[in-house]
Amino acid sequence: MQYFFDVEFLEKKQIGKDIYEVILSLQKGEFHFKPGQYIWLTIPKLTFTDAKGNRRAFSISSVPDKNRISLIVKDTKSGYKNSLLNLNKGEKLQVAGPFGSSFILEDKVLKSNIVFIAKQECIAPFLSILRCATGKETEGKQLFLLFFTTDGEIFYKEEFENLESQNILKLTTFSGNFSYQNSVLEKINLAETFFFINGDQLFVSETVKALTSKGVKKEAMVFGENYPVDENNLSPLDIEKFVSDKNNLGFLAIEQSNHHITITDVNGIILFANDAAQNITGYTKTELLGNTPRLWGGIMGKDFYKNLWERLKNGKSFIGQMTNRRKNGQPYHTISNIAPIINKEGSVKGFIDTEEDITQQVFFEEHLRLKNITIEQEHQRANALLESLGEGVIAIDLNGIVQNANPTAVSMLGFTEDELLGKPFADIVKAENDSGHIIPKEERGVTKALTTGKKTQTIHNYIRKDGSKFAAGIISSPIIVDNSLQGIITVFRDVTKEEEIDRAKTEFISLASHQLRTPLSAVKWFLGMLLGGDAGKLTPEQNEMMRNVYKSNERMIDLVNSLLNVSRIESGRIIVDPVPTDMKELLDGIKQDLFVKLGEKNQKLTISIEENLPKINLDPLLIRQVYINLLTNALKYSPENTEIILSVAKQGDGLLSFVKDKGYGIPIKEKDKVFTKLYRGENVVTKVTDGNGLGLYLAKQIIESSKGKIWFDSEENKGTTFWFTLPISGMQKKEGEVKLNS
Ligand code: ATP
Ligand code: MG
């Protein structure tokens, strides 16, 4: 709901002595109000100064119109009124509102006679109601307007007479104050009549006195701006006595309290406001005094205030949360505690209103509430995701205990949720390696992820509750909150099929390669014979061609051998047979083997081995393959006359080797593919045609299956270094079926 409107000063019409109707036109939006409501009008820049500030409340006197608002303004010669009445057409103002409720609409009122009693410009709120009246509001009863003037002047005389002629209204005008003798009340059944009284304080008091003397009850009277004087009521003088003694501890305490404290008389007119009231509402004390709490309140809805007044009138206090509005329009929240001030004789003298600004708390609470909703939603989304996931997901705490298992995990493992929850995962769900041995707990991916705080990726054969097994591709990821490990999420899927396909592929390659080897050897054999002149001397041209065929056949043999090695490694059937190996001897032998290759491009190989290196348990066949692959690469992918360095040294509990060249390098964008099967660098494929893209893949498989690591560093056209480590304890023996290059 919009509360603030930009308006323009349209015109002012004089309707009586010092009394004007001011018409404002709306700039934007629509202004909806009910007859009887009021607004606050702000003049952004006062032409004349006014201690009470640049805002005033006015009853709306016009009939509901979305684009226009009329007010009745009495020229009291205050700075504010002077400024307002001197505005020119088109000047900008701000309206806040509408506030207050239209009192005429209540049922009990509608079934009664209604008498509006107004003095002079105080006719404004009634005007709006009367202008909307159709005569049907009172269901056969009557509508009266008793209009009082001090100088005999009647505003809107014609308008009222017009209403009278339509039988909507009975108008009686008076000069001076209420005097019962002159009134028309004699003819009205007072028991069924409501009175709306609006005028200055004296006028209201006199009117009430006269009506009361005729037996009209207080409950049948509704007041506008002023209430009748009441001797019990607090007066500004009472307050003055209290605040004048600046050393009075009671006064100091109230004045300096952090809570907003205001004291009002029984009619809600503010007689005292402390510093906090000023700070919280944004109104100066001068603006607050003489006003009512409607200044910052009034936005809680009709029933709320009705209930509030009901309690206060009966001498009870009110405590509750409220939303108010600061002078700058900002809403704020309070815990308000309004208590009647009751004297010794037991009569209510006024009210004390203590408000604590809890906007911040409300804001945080709301923030928290929204956050909780978001968390809850995320939780539900995550749950839904987990439930529907095709992968098994298990959450494990720091002690390896299962905290959560999704339905897929439950059905894949064959254990019920209860059998898993709260139990140590690695003990309940056992895992085997390919050779059928149970994998010790500390070697399981989950345990490793827990101990290292790093993600692990493994393939284990999980054993179901019924003893059956399946190959599970498992990823265990640490859950890290605030830099500390909270547990592990293990995600696994059944990879039996993939494993089978992989195995079939490897087997196929192995078979095919075997089959190819025999004919290739035969071709080699016969080519050798042809080249050796066994079938007669070849012409130089024939000899040249035969040599080319021979070379191609050699490359084919090489490829088939490499493929066989790959399939042997991948099938896991390879024999690892470590023997204590002297590194110097091993590498010298390799250098010997590379002698011819080194000469082809006049390259130099420098080998540096740490002195006193003990013998290391290595399978010479496998380790040799690694060095050969790295060294042949260094030679192949470097230009003529370059140096290659091979270094071997102990580092911690490992043996670190590196092969460094000054060759063509590896393009940076391909660095992730280097160890994959069949990779060949874009920068070298045309330069160096012989190569299968299998050497590094094999080297990596050998190193990693020996618990080592391999990596490299390269810059194009500057050179490349490949590093690898092996545990100083050497390779582990493994009974296999086949040897490399066999
Ligand atoms: P082969 O299977 O006969 O060894 P290959 O040498 O092409 O063939 P890998 O040893 O696996 O295969 O090497 C893969 C690719 O990596 C090479 O083709 C080359 O592009 C690049 N490469 C490897 N080592 C080096 C190096 N030292 N300098 C530059 N590029 C290299
Ligand atoms: Mg190679």
Side-chain angles (χ1 to χ4, degrees):
M1 167 107 180
Q2 192 181 347
Y3 265 111
F4 292 86
F5 297 86
D6 287 326
V7 297
E8 269 180 13
F9 184 90
L10 196 64
E11 59 174 316
K12 68 166 192 246
K13 291 186 209 156
Q14 182 152 21
I15 50 169
K17 188 172 174 290
D18 287 336
I19 296 189
Y20 299 86
E21 174 164 346
V22 168
I23 304 172
L24 309 170
S25 80
L26 221 63
Q27 295 273 269
K28 243 195 352 238
E30 294 186 352
F31 187 77
H32 296 277
F33 69 96
K34 293 191 206 112
Q37 289 194 295
Y38 70 98
I39 57 157
W40 287 93
L41 181 65
T42 306
I43 308 176
K45 265 217 179 90
L46 288 179
T47 335
F48 303 94
T49 54
D50 191 315
K52 280 191 162 276
N54 63 346
R55 275 156 69 108
R56 287 293 187 284
F58 291 97
S59 293
I60 304 166
S61 62
S62 45
V63 292
D65 178 330
K66 289 179 293 208
N67 307 315
R68 278 183 185 212
I69 308 168
S70 324
L71 319 167
I72 293 186
V73 180
K74 179 172 174 158
D75 186 1
T76 53
K77 311 287 185 236
S78 72
Y80 177 92
K81 297 279 178 69
N82 272 342
S83 303
L84 178 63
L85 294 170
N86 276 300
L87 289 177
N88 295 315
K89 185 171 179 207
E91 287 197 63
K92 307 256 184 295
L93 301 159
Q94 271 128 32
V95 162
F99 299 112
S101 49
S102 164
F103 33 73
I104 192 148
L105 296 171
E106 277 186 42
D107 288 354
K108 64 175 176 186
V109 175
L110 287 178
K111 294 196 181 79
S112 320
N113 295 312
I114 296 173
V115 180
F116 292 107
I117 305 175
K119 183 170 172 192
Q120 299 274 82
E121 77 281 2
C122 296
I123 183 79
F126 302 157
L127 208 50
S128 176
I129 299 167
L130 291 171
R131 282 172 167 171
C132 295
T134 60
K136 297 202 180 84
E137 287 80 1
T138 49
E139 293 181 13
K141 299 280 169 14
Q142 268 185 309
L143 211 63
F144 298 88
L145 172 61
L146 313 188
F147 188 84
F148 289 79
T149 75
T150 33
D151 45 18
E153 212 172 357
I154 300 159
F155 326 138
Y156 303 108
K157 194 161 190 243
E158 261 174 45
E159 232 185 291
F160 292 142
E161 280 169 1
N162 195 14
L163 289 173
E164 227 181 344
S165 70
Q166 292 174 51
N167 256 342
I168 292 175
L169 172 75
K170 273 203 179 321
L171 172 72
T172 317
T173 57
F174 303 91
S175 264
N177 273 342
F178 197 97
S179 108
Y180 188 68
Q181 289 77 3
N182 295 340
S183 95
V184 286
L185 296 178
E186 236 98 269
K187 298 168 203 134
I188 307 172
N189 175 1
L190 291 180
E192 279 180 38
T193 305
F194 265 85
F195 295 86
F196 292 91
I197 305 158
N198 203 15
D200 57 61
Q201 174 108 63
L202 191 66
F203 173 82
V204 174
S205 296
E206 297 250 309
T207 307
V208 171
K209 229 185 266 167
L211 289 175
T212 323
S213 73
K214 277 289 149 195
V216 177
K217 296 246 157 52
K218 263 259 174 81
E219 292 77 53
M221 297 184 228
V222 180
F223 303 102
E225 282 146 51
N226 287 304
Y227 290 80
V229 180
D230 172 348
E231 58 273 19
N232 272 330
N233 199 0
L234 273 180
S235 82
L237 275 177
D238 298 320
I239 297 294
E240 186 51 37
K241 262 185 264 162
F242 174 61
V243 302
S244 58
D245 179 6
K246 300 283 181 222
N247 287 323
N248 179 327
L249 215 57
F251 164 72
L252 290 176
I254 288 185
E255 179 73 356
Q256 291 168 24
S257 164
N258 286 329
H259 289 186
H260 157 135
I261 297 177
T262 45
I263 296 174
T264 70
D265 68 8
V266 285
N267 301 316
I269 304 294
I270 300 164
L271 302 178
F272 170 83
N274 73 345
D275 291 345
Q278 183 169 271
N279 296 338
I280 294 173
T281 62
Y283 292 99
T284 64
K285 287 187 186 173
T286 332
E287 286 170 317
L288 290 167
L289 298 184
N291 248 308
T292 69
R294 284 198 299 197
L295 203 54
W296 63 87
I299 57 175
M300 290 295 290
K302 198 170 137 190
D303 289 343
F304 179 88
Y305 295 107
K306 209 171 139 191
N307 170 38
L308 171 76
W309 270 110
E310 232 23 69
R311 286 190 67 81
L312 294 180
K313 264 197 281 179
N314 293 324
K316 293 187 195 136
S317 33
F318 166 90
I319 301 179
Q321 194 169 328
M322 277 201 199
T323 306
N324 295 326
R325 208 177 276 279
R326 299 189 218 277
K327 186 180 179 185
N328 64 11
Q330 224 176 42
Y332 66 103
H333 305 282
T334 60
I335 293 277
S336 299
N337 190 330
I338 308 171
I341 302 171
I342 300 169
N343 67 5
K344 275 198 212 111
E345 289 73 42
S347 49
V348 175
K349 300 207 52 104
F351 301 100
I352 177 160
D353 173 19
T354 316
E355 300 187 4
E356 184 185 359
D357 189 342
I358 55 159
T359 312
Q360 204 75 320
Q361 286 98 304
V362 170
F363 174 78
F364 282 130
E365 269 168 30
E366 183 60 12
H367 186 70
L368 217 67
R369 195 180 66 84
L370 291 180
K371 210 165 159 187
N372 278 341
I373 292 179
T374 322
I375 291 174
E376 181 54 24
Q377 281 171 346
E378 266 168 25
H379 190 74
Q380 283 177 7
R381 222 173 295 145
N383 265 351
L385 199 75
L386 276 185
E387 303 270 304
S388 60
L389 217 56
E391 270 98 2
V393 181
I394 299 227
I396 292 162
D397 73 5
L398 283 179
N399 302 316
I401 305 293
V402 177
Q403 298 295 325
N404 221 323
N406 75 340
T408 314
V410 168
S411 78
M412 275 167 83
L413 297 170
F415 291 96
T416 65
E417 210 180 330
D418 282 346
E419 284 167 331
L420 290 169
L421 294 187
K423 312 275 161 50
F425 180 67
D427 293 345
I428 296 284
V429 181
K430 297 240 165 19
E432 270 182 14
N433 61 17
D434 278 341
S435 35
H437 297 299
I438 293 282
I439 302 170
K441 200 170 170 179
E442 54 289 351
E443 275 173 35
R444 294 273 293 267
V446 213
T447 321
K448 281 190 184 157
L450 266 175
T451 48
T452 60
K454 292 203 181 97
K455 179 166 143 181
T456 61
Q457 207 160 346
T458 44
I459 295 185
H460 293 332
N461 295 318
Y462 273 162
I463 306 174
R464 296 192 184 91
K465 189 184 176 189
D466 64 7
S468 63
K469 295 160 198 171
F470 68 97
I474 311 156
I475 299 178
S476 297
S477 314
I479 311 166
I480 291 168
V481 179
D482 269 352
N483 274 333
S484 89
L485 184 66
Q486 306 289 320
I488 298 292
I489 293 278
T490 287
V491 180
F492 59 91
R493 62 198 178 91
D494 190 338
V495 294
T496 316
K497 275 241 164 59
E498 289 158 46
E499 290 275 282
E500 269 166 15
I501 292 169
D502 248 21
R503 206 168 300 138
K505 226 165 49 191
T506 309
E507 268 165 24
F508 172 75
I509 290 173
S510 165
L511 271 171
S513 308
H514 259 299
Q515 298 296 338
L516 283 170
R517 269 217 314 196
T518 325
L520 285 173
S521 303
V523 171
K524 181 182 164 105
W525 178 255
F526 286 114
L527 283 174
M529 282 173 40
L530 279 174
L531 280 168
D534 289 12
K537 196 169 167 25
L538 301 177
T539 66
E541 210 180 338
Q542 285 169 335
N543 192 0
E544 170 72 18
M545 283 182 174
M546 276 304 155
R547 275 193 186 284
N548 282 339
V549 178
Y550 188 84
K551 257 197 235 158
S552 293
N553 191 54
E554 282 296 293
R555 274 167 60 181
M556 186 93 92
I557 294 172
D558 198 38
L559 171 63
V560 167
N561 282 335
S562 291
L563 284 174
L564 267 173
N565 278 341
V566 166
S567 64
R568 284 179 190 123
I569 288 258
E570 287 185 344
S571 68
R573 293 178 301 136
I574 209 122
I575 300 168
V576 184
D577 189 11
V579 291
T581 308
D582 182 289
M583 291 308 286
K584 188 163 164 24
E585 247 171 57
L586 176 85
L587 296 176
D588 282 345
I590 291 173
K591 188 172 179 179
Q592 209 67 48
D593 289 351
L594 290 173
F595 183 75
V596 178
K597 272 220 162 85
L598 279 161
E600 280 170 10
K601 291 204 277 182
N602 191 28
Q603 287 160 316
K604 194 179 152 203
L605 172 61
T606 312
I607 299 181
S608 104
I609 303 178
E610 188 180 314
E611 274 181 42
N612 302 327
L613 208 60
K615 285 193 174 177
I616 299 170
N617 256 339
L618 297 171
D619 181 326
L621 216 55
L622 293 173
I623 195 66
R624 200 171 173 281
Q625 191 70 46
V626 174
Y627 283 114
I628 290 274
N629 287 1
L630 295 181
L631 287 168
T632 46
N633 281 351
L635 294 172
K636 266 204 297 192
Y637 306 116
S638 299
E640 296 184 352
N641 305 318
T642 48
E643 188 192 12
I644 285 104
I645 299 169
L646 166 61
S647 150
V648 181
K650 240 179 85 175
Q651 201 197 43
D653 53 2
L655 186 73
L656 177 73
S657 306
F658 70 77
V659 177
K660 184 183 176 76
D661 67 50
K662 296 199 174 99
Y664 310 132
I666 295 168
I668 185 140
K669 62 173 193 301
E670 293 178 6
K671 71 179 196 329
D672 292 337
K673 294 192 259 172
V674 169
F675 292 105
T676 57
K677 271 184 270 189
L678 304 177
Y679 163 75
R680 301 225 54 218
E682 202 180 70
N683 58 334
V684 300
V685 264
T686 49
K687 237 182 269 177
V688 185
T689 46
D690 90 35
N692 302 316
L694 293 170
L696 286 177
Y697 174 76
L698 264 174
K700 185 176 157 89
Q701 297 302 312
I702 295 170
I703 296 295
E704 288 185 350
S705 65
S706 309
K707 300 205 156 58
K709 281 205 181 87
I710 181 164
W711 69 99
F712 75 97
D713 191 15
S714 181
E715 194 175 337
E716 244 184 299
N717 296 322
K718 285 265 168 63
T720 306
T721 309
F722 275 88
W723 282 274
F724 70 89
T725 58
L726 281 173
I728 205 89
S729 53
M731 296 174 165
Q732 299 273 310
K733 190 176 169 65
K734 190 177 157 217
E735 313 272 356
E737 294 163 33
V738 284
K739 288 198 162 238
L740 221 51
N741 300 324
S742 55

